[in-house]
């Protein structure tokens, strides 16, 4: 086989389909984000980032940076090993305590990313609980799907955000059989929010454990940033809450929060935890500082809601089609991979506005989109420039506009 020819052929197909991914090489500006610099060969130019998952701008918060600087100077760069072999530092223990407190759980367990926490936790629970069957929301994240596949447990998909379909699929199962229902709070591509209470009602009626991915909810929702489940007073009913430190908290890492026994069980059996180097202590300290700040400060969340609402209003006023949802995510619907790429490139080239196109396989063919994530650090002037530029390129691409409601 000509391996190089095969690789090139597959890449050519991606490019022809408009699905080839091009990285924007950026340098974020601490204290000035969402401003950044883009590197393109020898060229550097200023850009405004509109698609970051640093939802609240916490990656540049003084308390976070101070904690990381102090820990880096005191402890050095790396953890020095896996958590089992010399890599559990005081910073890790303090961070896990902050996370357990955030979610009112007995314990929490850190991982190197949200992807790894889903893969390791779901993979371990599905594999090690005898006869476990997993019920998975049809739109669950790839990391959750990979964890379920790795577990080799029996998996049934239920219709997206449908407690009724979940109930139908649980009903025929042996009442004594272990069951785990895995779903998300905020779905990152459409921005819709799960009916958590109703899904938990079904779980409890059938004796199923619940596993809630709050990756796009933690930090943003609830009086202390505990996520949608906290906002709705449901955290005590969820068996496992999974989250990330790399989005609203602005640092890096993933975690689960649950009972002490469940966390210890995953800690003891998950290969994705046992055999990987621990997060650097400075990252753990920065994440803990971010969580502590957002437990008490409402400023970032309030300004965030205001900016999201403003962008929604302004886009609606010029007829740019978006998916209506109750979250902070604004999907602008283009519906064509090539035009989606063209819009993204044009915004960056002519206006210094960076919005990454979202194409298949992240979303289904025909639903290609731009995914906007307004933040507390976007100014009114940033919004003005974004709306004007989008209106201009929308007309150039001859895309339909949505009529204003009467």
């Amino acid at each position: 086989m000509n391996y190089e020819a095969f690789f090139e052929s597959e890449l050519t197909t991606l490019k022809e389909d408009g699905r080839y991914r091009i990285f924007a090489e950026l340098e974020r500006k601490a204290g000035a984000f969402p401003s950044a610099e883009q590197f393109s060969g020898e060229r550097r130019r200023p850009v405004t980032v509109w698609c970051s998952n640093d939802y609240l701008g916490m990656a540049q918060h003084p308390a976070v940076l101070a904690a990381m600087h102090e820990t880096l100077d005191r402890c050095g760069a790396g953890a020095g090993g896996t958590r089992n072999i010399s890599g559990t530092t005081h910073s890790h223990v303090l961070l896990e305590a902050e996370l357990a407190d955030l979610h009112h759980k007995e314990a929490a367990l850190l991982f190197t990313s949200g992807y790894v926490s889903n893969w390791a936790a779901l993979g371990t629970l599905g594999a090690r609980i005898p006869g476990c069957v997993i019920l998975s929301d049809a739109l669950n994240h790839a990391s959750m799907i990979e964890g379920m596949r790795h577990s080799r447990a029996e998996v049934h998909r239920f219709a997206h955000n449908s407690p009724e379909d979940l109930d139908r699929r649980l009903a025929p199962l042996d009442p004594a059989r272990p069951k785990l229902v895995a779903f998300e709070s905020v779905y990152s591509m459409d921005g819709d929010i799960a009916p958590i209470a109703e899904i938990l009602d079904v779980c409890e009626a059938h004796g199923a454990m619940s596993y809630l991915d709050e990756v796009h909810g933690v930090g943003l929702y609830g009086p202390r940033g505990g996520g949608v489940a906290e906002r709705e007073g449901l955290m005590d009913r969820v068996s496992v809450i999974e989250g990330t430190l790399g989005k609203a908290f602005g640092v890096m890492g993933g975690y689960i929060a649950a009972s002490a026994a469940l966390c210890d069980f995953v800690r003891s059996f998950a290969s994705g935890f046992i055999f990987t180097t621990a997060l650097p202590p400075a990252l753990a300290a920065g994440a803990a500082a971010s969580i502590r700040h957002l437990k008490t400060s409402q400023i970032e969340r309030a300004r965030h809601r205001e900016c999201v609402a403003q962008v929604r209003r302004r886009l609606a006023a010029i007829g740019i089609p978006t998916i209506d949802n109750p979250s902070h995510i604004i999907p602008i619907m283009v519906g064509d991979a090539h035009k989606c790429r063209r819009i993204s490139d044009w915004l960056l080239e002519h206006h210094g506005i960076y919005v990454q196109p979202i194409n298949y396989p992240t979303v289904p063919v025909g639903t290609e989109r731009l995914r906007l994530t307004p933040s507390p650090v976007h100014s009114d002037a940033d919004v003005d420039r974004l709306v004007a530029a989008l209106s201009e390129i929308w007309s150039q691409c001859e895309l339909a506009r949505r009529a204003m409601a009467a």
Side-chain angles (χ1 to χ4, degrees):
M1 180 178 184
N2 186 331
Y3 299 106
E4 294 301 315
F6 169 75
F7 300 147
E8 291 293 344
S9 174
E10 292 295 297
L11 292 171
T12 297
T13 300
L14 282 179
K15 293 172 182 176
E16 290 173 348
D17 291 346
R19 297 188 289 116
Y20 183 72
R21 299 182 180 189
I22 300 170
F23 294 157
E25 184 180 348
L26 304 175
E27 184 173 277
R28 288 155 56 96
K29 297 298 180 185
F33 190 76
S35 295
E37 274 196 326
Q38 183 202 14
F39 290 72
S40 181
E42 298 299 316
R43 183 183 178 190
R44 297 172 64 147
R45 60 177 172 180
V47 298
T48 302
V49 180
W50 273 100
C51 55
S52 173
N53 284 337
D54 182 10
Y55 291 133
L56 297 177
M58 290 302 293
Q60 63 185 3
H61 194 280
V64 175
L65 299 184
M68 294 184 71
H69 280 298
E70 190 278 329
T71 306
L72 180 64
D73 291 340
R74 178 166 47 87
C75 300
T82 67
R83 289 290 299 275
N84 290 320
I85 304 176
S86 83
T88 295
T89 72
H90 187 53
S91 295
H92 295 102
V93 175
L94 292 178
L95 175 53
E96 287 174 336
E98 286 287 352
L99 290 164
D101 174 78
L102 176 66
H103 295 294
H104 298 309
K105 297 295 185 185
E106 291 179 342
L109 187 65
L110 277 173
F111 296 86
T112 50
S113 72
Y115 191 104
V116 173
S117 57
N118 270 333
W119 175 80
L122 284 169
T124 301
L125 293 170
R128 303 288 305 195
I129 299 175
C132 183
V133 57
I134 302 176
L135 287 296
S136 173
D137 187 283
L139 294 187
N140 274 340
H141 189 263
S143 59
M144 302 174 78
I145 295 168
E146 285 301 312
M148 297 174 215
R149 286 176 179 165
H150 178 72
S151 76
R152 298 186 179 179
E154 182 180 330
V155 177
H156 299 274
R157 296 174 71 196
F158 63 93
H160 177 54
N161 277 351
S162 175
E164 297 79 14
D165 191 50
L166 174 62
D167 185 65
R168 283 192 294 269
R169 294 177 184 277
L170 280 168
L173 300 176
D174 182 347
R177 187 175 182 184
K179 309 166 193 72
L180 176 64
V181 175
F183 62 109
E184 302 180 39
S185 60
V186 181
Y187 288 83
S188 63
M189 288 300 112
D190 288 349
D192 53 331
I193 293 179
I196 300 175
E198 291 83 354
I199 290 175
L200 293 177
D201 289 343
V202 175
C203 291
E204 291 161 1
H206 292 277
M209 293 176 60
S210 51
Y211 184 104
L212 178 62
D213 179 317
E214 282 265 32
V215 159
H216 295 275
V218 291
L220 298 170
Y221 301 95
R224 300 199 310 157
V228 180
E230 184 197 25
R231 183 188 70 181
E232 299 179 4
L234 299 170
M235 288 196 300
D236 62 314
R237 295 176 59 190
V238 181
S239 306
V240 185
I241 295 175
E242 184 269 346
T244 184
L245 305 170
K247 292 183 171 59
F249 292 130
V251 190
M252 179 185 175
Y255 66 89
I256 59 170
S259 69
L262 189 149
C263 288
D264 199 17
F265 178 83
V266 174
R267 180 190 72 87
S268 299
F269 291 108
S271 62
F273 177 86
I274 296 170
F275 297 106
T276 193
T277 300
L279 283 174
L283 289 179
S290 181
I291 294 163
R292 282 194 297 270
H293 176 81
L294 290 173
K295 282 179 178 177
T296 59
S297 174
Q298 302 301 323
I299 296 171
E300 292 82 8
R301 285 189 284 272
R303 171 59 186 150
H304 182 242
R305 289 191 295 269
E306 292 170 2
C307 191
V308 170
Q310 180 187 12
V311 173
R312 286 191 190 280
R313 286 194 304 270
R314 297 286 301 278
L315 293 177
I318 61 172
I320 300 294
T322 64
I323 294 179
D324 295 326
N325 64 55
S327 77
H328 58 283
I329 295 165
I330 304 179
I332 296 178
M333 303 308 292
V334 179
D336 179 276
H338 292 284
K339 287 185 177 180
C340 205
R341 176 84 259 172
R342 176 186 168 189
I343 292 170
S344 175
D345 290 345
W346 188 90
L347 289 172
L348 189 59
E349 179 66 28
H350 294 277
H351 292 276
I353 292 172
Y354 173 48
V355 186
Q356 183 68 18
I358 307 295
N359 297 328
Y360 179 84
T362 306
V363 295
V365 173
T367 69
E368 292 84 2
R369 66 198 65 182
L370 304 173
R371 178 180 175 272
L372 293 182
T373 53
S375 77
V377 292
H378 283 99
S379 68
D380 291 344
D382 291 332
V383 176
D384 290 342
R385 287 192 294 271
L386 172 71
V387 172
L390 277 171
S391 184
E392 184 179 348
I393 187 60
W394 215 258
S395 296
Q396 288 184 26
C397 289
E398 299 180 331
L399 290 166
R401 297 191 187 233
R402 180 181 292 171
M404 286 288 291

